Amino acid sequence: RPTDARIFELAPRAWAKVALRETGDGLVAVFPIPKVSLDDLSLGPAPLVLALIDVEKPGNLGAVLRSADAFGVSALVAEGGTIEIDGEGTAIVTESAIVHENRNPGLNKAEIEELLIELMGLYKVIWLPGRPGGDLSDGQPSRYARFVKPGVVATSVIGNASSPDHDITQTHQAILSSQTDALERPIEVIPLEAPQDLPERRPNDVATLSYTGFYVCNDAVLVPAFGDARTDAAAKEKLTQ
C-alpha cells in the first residue's frame, strides 16, 4: 500500500457516480505517481491515479469511467501489458489494444497519446499497429515488443510465413528499428524467434507463443519455454546476455 495514499470518504452523491453498491466495484484510493528524477528531464507535477479494486469484470468500463468522473480526472482503460515503458519517458503501445471501442470508446489515437503523456509523465509514445482479435488482449505490446533496458527492445518474430502474425511482426521490427527513444537514442532491436516445433497443444489452448512474455526479477529473468528446443534455447541465451 503506498504510504502517501490519500484515502477519500465518498459522499453518497459521489458514490452513486462511481458504481452501484451491489456490483462490488468501488474507488479505494487516489494517490500521486512518484516523480522520476532524470538528469536532463523534469516531469513536473505528478498526476493523480485512481486505484480500483474488486472490479468484478475486467471489461467493466463503466466503473472506471464513473470513478474518474467522480473526481474530475481523465481516465484510460488498459489491462496490464497494454503499455510498455522504459522508465525514462518512452512507451510502446499498440493501436489494436488501446484504440479500441471495448476499452476507450470515442477516443482516437491522438487523444489517447495526449492522455498517456499527461497521466504517465511520458515524453514519447511509439505506436505499433498490433493485430486486433489475435488473442484475448487484442495484441498488447507484451505479445510483440518489450524493453530489455532503455533503448533496447526485444521483439517477437514469426518465422512461419503462413502465420497471421508473420507480417505484423516484420512491420513492428521495421518501425522500432527506425525509432529513437525520449532521450534521442536509436532503438536497438533484439529479435526473438517464436517457437514452431511444438508438442501437441490442447484443444482451445489460447497461450501466446511469444518469448516477450519474460519477467525480470532480482538477479534473474524468467523466460517462457514452449517445448521447441531450438527457439527455447535461443531466447534464453539472448535474454541472459
Side-chain angles (χ1 to χ4, degrees):
R1 177 179 297 180
T3 56
D4 58 349
R6 289 182 281 148
I7 308 299
F8 291 82
E9 181 178 354
L10 294 184
R13 291 175 62 184
W15 177 253
K17 296 180 71 175
V18 173
L20 299 175
R21 293 175 185 268
E22 58 265 26
T23 66
D25 303 331
L27 181 75
V28 294
V30 181
F31 58 93
I33 298 176
K35 295 173 80 171
V36 179
S37 177
L38 300 176
D39 293 335
D40 302 319
L41 301 173
S42 172
L43 296 182
L48 291 176
V49 171
L50 294 179
L52 295 172
I53 195 168
D54 292 334
V55 178
E56 292 181 349
K57 298 180 180 179
N60 195 334
L61 175 61
V64 178
L65 296 182
R66 288 193 300 274
S67 299
D69 182 60
F71 280 87
V73 300
S74 302
L76 280 175
V77 174
E79 303 95 318
T82 303
I83 307 167
E84 177 68 15
I85 298 175
D86 71 346
E88 295 187 357
T90 308
I92 298 172
V93 295
T94 56
E95 294 184 48
S96 60
I98 199 167
V99 188
H100 197 292
E101 284 301 306
N102 285 350
R103 297 178 178 88
N104 297 294
L107 293 178
N108 61 34
K109 179 178 172 180
E111 291 168 330
I112 288 174
E113 179 168 334
E114 183 178 352
L115 281 170
L116 286 170
I117 289 171
E118 174 191 352
L119 297 174
M120 305 191 71
L122 299 172
Y123 286 87
K124 182 164 187 176
V125 177
I126 299 174
W127 287 91
L128 302 178
R131 187 168 71 87
D135 61 5
L136 295 176
S137 71
D138 289 302
Q140 293 178 352
S142 57
R143 175 186 177 95
Y144 295 118
R146 299 278 311 284
F147 280 107
V148 176
K149 63 180 180 180
V152 182
V153 177
T155 64
S156 180
V157 177
I158 309 296
N160 181 1
S162 64
S163 168
D165 270 327
H166 175 269
D167 291 347
I168 201 67
T169 58
Q170 299 296 323
T171 298
H172 290 168
Q173 279 205 97
I175 291 172
L176 290 165
S177 296
S178 68
Q179 291 286 327
T180 58
D181 65 11
L183 297 179
E184 298 299 326
R185 292 172 296 211
I187 298 292
E188 177 187 349
V189 175
I190 300 175
L192 301 176
E193 183 183 352
Q196 297 185 52
D197 184 14
L198 299 174
E200 184 177 351
R201 300 181 69 178
R202 292 172 297 179
N204 302 318
D205 188 347
V206 294
T208 297
L209 302 179
S210 171
Y211 295 106
T212 53
F214 62 83
Y215 177 77
V216 180
C217 56
N218 293 342
D219 301 319
V221 179
L222 305 182
V223 183
F226 298 98
D228 184 326
R230 181 181 62 83
T231 59
D232 283 357
K236 179 180 177 181
E237 180 180 1
K238 288 185 176 182
L239 290 172
T240 54
Q241 289 178 353

